[in-house]
Structures are given as structure tokens and as C-alpha cells.
């Protein structure tokens, strides 16, 4: 599975962005897909994940109620809708695919990141 994240940009606090993770490969629909982020000087952290069917989603406490993850297996794309963005959401966002987990090392497939910058 090959992944490509897009949709990042520079926005003001309180704004919204939608990130996309486009995948190639016939087995995409079998994988859990998660978003992680890494701020400058910090470790990569889990943001949100969605199982292969889309029937279950899970989130980091820091984004619950603000971010929504979804997927369209027909389009082999996973989305991360980010609302009410805060400066502390500034980071490079990565999508990853593998089995259900919130731990970065559990994921084998990674896309290149997309930078989200939230100004105060």
C-alpha cells in the first residue's frame, strides 16, 4: 500500500482544514488507517484512526470533538476533518495503514507528511 497525504496549509486559530490520504493498492480496504502528527522537536503522536470497514473510529483526547476521521474505500481515500484548529495542532500530519493500533511503530505503511500550521 502506498499512501499520500495532502491538504495541509496555513490557517488561523478557529479555522478548519480537511486532510486527505490517498492510497494505492488493492488491499487498502483491509487496513486500519490512522493519522499521526509530529510537531517540531516532539515525538510523533497518534491523532485518529478508522478500521477497515469505517464502523469504528478512535481519537486522541486532544482532538476529540474537533476532528473527524472518515474513509471512502471506493475512492481508497481517508479524510481527516479538522475543526476549531488551535496553535498546538501545528505539526506535520502523516497517514499510516496497518492493523488497529494507536502506536506509530505498529504501522508498516506510511505516507509523506503534510504540514499544518495554525497561527494565533
Amino acid at each position: 500500500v502506498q499512501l499520500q497525504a495532502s491538504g495541509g496549509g496555513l490557517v488561523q486559530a478557529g479555522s478548519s482544514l480537511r486532510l486527505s490520504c490517498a492510497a494505492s493498492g488493492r488491499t487498502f480496504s483491509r487496513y486500519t488507517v490512522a493519522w499521526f502528527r509530529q510537531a517540531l522537536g516532539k515525538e510523533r503522536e497518534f491523532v485518529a484512526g478508522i478500521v477497515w470497514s469505517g464502523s469504528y473510529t478512535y481519537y486522541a483526547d486532544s482532538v476529540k470533538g474537533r476532528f473527524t476521521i472518515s474513509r471512502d474505500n471506493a475512492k481508497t481515500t481517508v479524510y481527516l476533518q479538522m475543526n476549531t484548529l488551535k496553535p498546538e495542532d501545528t505539526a506535520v500530519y502523516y497517514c499510516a495503514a496497518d492493523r488497529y493500533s494507536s502506536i506509530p511503530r505498529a504501522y508498516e505503511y506510511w505516507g509523506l507528511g503534510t504540514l499544518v500550521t495554525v497561527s494565533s
Side-chain angles (χ1 to χ4, degrees):
V1 176
Q2 292 183 326
L3 307 171
Q4 183 170 356
S6 62
L10 171 62
V11 297
Q12 291 186 331
S15 300
S16 298
L17 275 178
R18 189 177 79 158
L19 304 184
S20 298
C21 175
S24 61
R26 294 178 295 175
T27 59
F28 169 77
S29 62
R30 301 179 185 176
Y31 291 102
T32 289
V33 176
W35 287 95
F36 293 84
R37 66 187 182 186
Q38 188 166 17
L40 190 64
K42 296 187 177 181
E43 293 187 352
R44 192 167 298 188
E45 64 175 4
F46 169 76
V47 175
I50 185 167
V51 299
W52 68 272
S53 65
S55 61
Y56 179 72
T57 58
Y58 50 113
Y59 298 90
D61 288 342
S62 59
V63 306
K64 280 182 181 177
R66 300 189 298 122
F67 291 12
T68 303
I69 189 171
S70 61
R71 69 190 292 163
D72 185 337
N73 285 339
K75 295 182 179 179
T76 63
T77 302
V78 171
Y79 304 97
L80 184 67
Q81 178 66 43
M82 306 186 296
N83 298 328
T84 319
L85 283 161
K86 303 176 181 180
E88 51 263 44
D89 294 319
T90 295
V92 177
Y93 284 71
Y94 301 88
C95 58
D98 211 311
R99 298 178 181 179
Y100 170 84
S101 178
S102 61
I103 302 173
R105 65 175 181 269
Y107 285 80
E108 179 176 356
Y109 306 104
W110 289 84
L112 296 178
T114 185
L115 176 62
V116 173
T117 304
V118 184
S119 63
S120 57

